[in-house]
Amino acid sequence: MLYSFILQEETIHSFQERIEFLERCLNNANPQDEIFAEIIELENSRLISLNKLIEEVKKLQYKLNKVLQLVKVLKEKVQMDQLSLLLVVRYNFLLKEILEQCCEFSFIEHSKGVFMDMIVSTLVVYQKIKKEASSVTYSQHEKYILTETRKHVIQSIIKASVQFNVFSEDFFKSLELEDDITPKESEAMLISLASTKKWDYVYRKLA
């Protein structure tokens, strides 16, 4: 079921709380605070800009709000039995954006715990996509779009995991990923295919 690809709202809210905590630390003028002191030290070494970090946090909060809005729409579609492949594709690409933006915080030692839940949760979504895309539930063109989408997602998971030292290379090898996880289709093309159903194009690619 496509809806199984969606993170629980509780997980998203939990991540929001962690981001808000990080924002409070960034805006805290007390150098005695351990995280703030670390950030100031990094800023003094010119590795980061405090203003840039605050800006990145605001962007993350905006994207998380978009995720929550999309989850609500997806729930409504499920209730009406109208859940579309397009919404699921858009949702997964939004998670990809969030993961890639998280890498901006990888050099802050205390940020690892803040972002680990999002990395792990997105990995679970990836595994569900992999399982469903290999089932008989979906047509050939739907499987193609799901497969290409998960290639984009797994690359972001790997990048974030390496940045935060969450999972090792051996761990990803144990997932039995495809030999080639380089997407054949761009994000824009996958969204177009999911929305306009240009299946002739897909079948030519599969031939």
Side-chain angles (χ1 to χ4, degrees), residues 138-150:
Y138 304 106
S139 63
Q140 190 176 18
H141 50 258
E142 289 173 324
K143 289 179 183 179
Y144 179 80
I145 292 174
L146 289 173
T147 298
E148 286 299 300
T149 300
R150 82 167 184 257

Side-chain angles (χ1 to χ4, degrees), residues 38 42 47-48 53 103-109 111 163:
E38 179 189 354
L42 288 169
L47 290 177
I48 59 172
L53 280 176
C103 294
E104 295 287 338
F105 301 87
S106 61
F107 39 72
I108 304 176
E109 180 64 27
S111 67
Q163 290 283 92

Side-chain angles (χ1 to χ4, degrees), residues 72-102:
K72 289 178 182 177
V73 173
L74 287 166
K75 279 188 172 182
E76 292 173 0
K77 294 291 185 182
V78 167
Q79 291 171 355
M80 295 184 291
D81 197 25
Q82 296 178 344
L83 185 58
S84 71
L85 183 63
L86 174 62
L87 287 178
V88 174
V89 170
R90 286 188 181 279
Y91 171 83
N92 278 283
F93 278 129
L94 188 52
L95 288 182
K96 175 179 178 286
E97 285 182 31
I98 290 172
L99 275 176
E100 290 177 348
Q101 193 172 352
C102 286

